Amino acid sequence: MSVWLDNAIARANSTSDWLSPIRAASLAVLKNTSWPTRKTEAWKYTSLKSLERATLSSVAVANQDMPDVIEGYDSLNLVFRNGVFDANALTDELPDGLTITYLPAASDAVKQSSLEELSKIKPERHLFGLVNDVLAQNIVRIEVAEGVAVCQAIRITSLVNLHAESHTRVFVKLNNGASLTVSEHYQGDVESLNTGFVEYDIRADAQLEHYRFALQTEKAISIGGCHFKLGERADLNSTLVGFGSDLSRVDTDIIYDGEFANAKLNAFYLLDGKELFDLHATVEHAVPNCTTLENVRGIVADRAKAVFNGRIHIHRHAQKTLAELNNRNLLLSDKAEINTKPELEIYADDVRCAHGATVAEIDKHALYYLESRGISRRKAQVMLNFGFINELIDQMPNQVLAEWIRPQIRNRFAQMEVTR
């Protein structure tokens, strides 16, 4: 067992509030869960040594940082500072049919009903999901009423100070026929720990447009997840963008709970220096007639390391499933490392499924062609790298967010050295 985890369990044991039933259940599992090592399959290529070495404090301090400005992005802003929800940041009047509840300040009836929802979508196997269960206190619940289409996006931003710990939890419920856009933003580069988990209950005929920008870098330790349950004819379009840090990991789960649901997951990550980014994506096809399209791309430079594990599980009764998983990677250095493991586990016989993974380097012929047209080698490398990722940026439904992330991607490419 880790010293850090022992301390986290001790802190959780000393806390008593309305979340005690969830905390007690997760503590019982956590106490019997081994601290991951290289022999732990889910953590085989990702070391937790940076967390064990980090100097962290659970005492909340004032955080005056501001979220990055996104010009033209019409959003309702939910801001967490060192894990503490900043109610003052939510200044706009909520549209009809949208409810945002800060659960610690809610009525006993709302708290009780929320206990029946929380941690029901996030699988129990996620170690840091359990940690978040026992340490998170500032929980926010978002609900869209039946048939309501919310025009404004919900932007969730987590800001963390030097040496601070942040454990945030958000629960989002879209009732039948509702629609919503949610973007999760994680930023910062100082030594800190952030576990940010969001659960999405997407009911029949509901539509969710989702983004997760895991943009913490350098010494920031970020371990979190986004977990989705889809009802009948529900539609999910999710985009994940990741930069690396000392330790950055995202677990995402899509669970089909109703027929004729569809999910599209696009993800890309850009790593440099000694950065690490680990993406584990699991899709559970438990019912028939559903579709999953998953496209993941990564570019890794210098001595950085990328880990991707994509698993699509087709259950016995999930006939007429269509599932495709593709992972493509570019290595820009002989010392960079990519560990990719796409998996299809199929128990139904009437399905169409495909998966694949590639690891390559920049096309030397394309590089030579651009240089022969008077383009500098450095600029040509940036152009080819950007072209590899730009297809997924073009597929982002929200063009404001696409134009906001593009210059950040270009700047990151400009800093990445190509040595192969």
Side-chain angles (χ1 to χ4, degrees), residues 172-364:
V172 181
K173 181 177 182 180
L174 276 64
N175 285 295
N176 296 350
S179 64
L180 181 67
T181 296
V182 178
S183 60
E184 307 172 34
H185 300 252
Y186 301 86
Q187 63 186 69
D189 56 12
V190 297
E191 186 176 64
S192 58
L193 169 64
N194 189 4
T195 70
F197 286 83
V198 186
E199 295 179 283
Y200 295 90
D201 186 359
I202 311 169
R203 298 296 178 92
D205 298 300
Q207 297 180 345
L208 174 66
E209 182 183 320
H210 169 262
Y211 303 89
R212 184 169 181 131
F213 297 101
L215 306 183
Q216 290 181 305
T217 57
E218 298 186 23
K219 294 295 183 180
I221 299 171
S222 180
I223 308 174
C226 35
H227 312 282
F228 310 90
K229 184 174 73 172
L230 278 62
E232 289 186 7
R233 298 174 301 279
D235 187 79
L236 167 66
N237 191 325
S238 178
T239 301
L240 187 151
V241 183
F243 293 168
S245 67
D246 271 8
L247 172 57
S248 183
R249 172 162 171 150
V250 178
D251 285 275
T252 180
D253 294 272
I254 300 173
I255 302 165
Y256 287 92
D257 194 48
E259 294 188 48
F260 302 103
N262 300 288
K264 179 180 180 180
L265 173 62
N266 283 346
F268 55 94
Y269 39 84
L270 315 170
L271 314 182
D272 198 14
K274 297 181 180 180
E275 295 174 344
L276 166 71
F277 184 79
D278 183 344
L279 172 61
H280 273 59
T282 301
V283 180
E284 297 287 350
H285 278 276
V287 295
N289 299 300
C290 294
T291 301
T292 297
L293 299 177
E294 186 175 347
N295 196 351
V296 180
R297 297 189 183 183
I299 298 181
V300 187
D302 202 3
R303 289 172 288 174
K305 179 193 292 187
V307 182
F308 172 67
N309 185 284
R311 177 174 178 262
I312 298 179
H313 179 195
I314 314 295
H315 293 239
R316 180 179 177 183
H317 300 294
Q319 306 293 346
K320 306 294 183 181
T321 291
L322 169 61
E324 296 181 3
L325 166 61
N326 184 269
N327 177 224
R328 296 172 61 190
N329 300 278
L330 277 180
L331 272 177
L332 305 186
S333 164
D334 291 329
K335 296 181 180 180
E337 182 178 329
I338 294 173
N339 298 282
T340 177
K341 185 182 179 184
E343 301 177 63
L344 284 176
E345 187 174 343
I346 303 172
Y347 296 98
D349 53 16
D350 186 8
V351 299
R352 286 191 297 158
C353 299
H355 73 300
T358 61
V359 179
E361 55 188 71
I362 287 181
D363 188 331
K364 294 180 180 178

Side-chain angles (χ1 to χ4, degrees), residues 77-239:
N77 296 313
L78 278 62
V79 179
F80 291 89
R81 301 178 185 278
N82 294 334
V84 178
F85 179 61
D86 181 1
N88 295 325
L90 186 59
T91 56
D92 294 355
E93 183 177 345
L94 300 186
D96 293 340
L98 174 65
T99 304
I100 299 177
T101 307
Y102 176 53
L103 289 179
S107 66
D108 290 341
V110 171
K111 288 178 180 177
Q112 185 59 42
S113 62
S114 296
L115 287 176
E116 299 172 3
E117 299 173 323
L118 293 171
S119 296
K120 299 299 188 294
I121 299 174
K122 175 180 62 62
E124 194 178 80
R125 68 177 179 274
H126 296 309
L127 169 65
F128 286 89
L130 296 170
V131 169
N132 187 274
D133 283 345
V134 302
L135 294 181
Q137 297 181 20
N138 286 241
I139 300 177
V140 174
R141 184 183 188 277
I142 301 169
E143 181 171 3
V144 183
E146 184 173 341
V148 173
V150 179
C151 295
Q152 281 182 287
I154 303 292
R155 182 185 180 188
I156 305 168
T157 304
S158 182
L159 305 170
V160 191
N161 272 1
L162 178 66
H163 303 315
E165 284 190 30
S166 171
H167 305 284
T168 61
R169 173 68 66 85
V170 178
F171 180 85
V172 181
K173 181 177 182 180
L174 276 64
N175 285 295
N176 296 350
S179 64
L180 181 67
T181 296
V182 178
S183 60
E184 307 172 34
H185 300 252
Y186 301 86
Q187 63 186 69
D189 56 12
V190 297
E191 186 176 64
S192 58
L193 169 64
N194 189 4
T195 70
F197 286 83
V198 186
E199 295 179 283
Y200 295 90
D201 186 359
I202 311 169
R203 298 296 178 92
D205 298 300
Q207 297 180 345
L208 174 66
E209 182 183 320
H210 169 262
Y211 303 89
R212 184 169 181 131
F213 297 101
L215 306 183
Q216 290 181 305
T217 57
E218 298 186 23
K219 294 295 183 180
I221 299 171
S222 180
I223 308 174
C226 35
H227 312 282
F228 310 90
K229 184 174 73 172
L230 278 62
E232 289 186 7
R233 298 174 301 279
D235 187 79
L236 167 66
N237 191 325
S238 178
T239 301

Side-chain angles (χ1 to χ4, degrees), residues 64-83:
Q64 303 301 323
D65 294 342
M66 296 298 294
D68 292 340
V69 175
I70 305 178
E71 295 292 343
Y73 186 45
D74 186 14
S75 63
L76 297 164
N77 296 313
L78 278 62
V79 179
F80 291 89
R81 301 178 185 278
N82 294 334

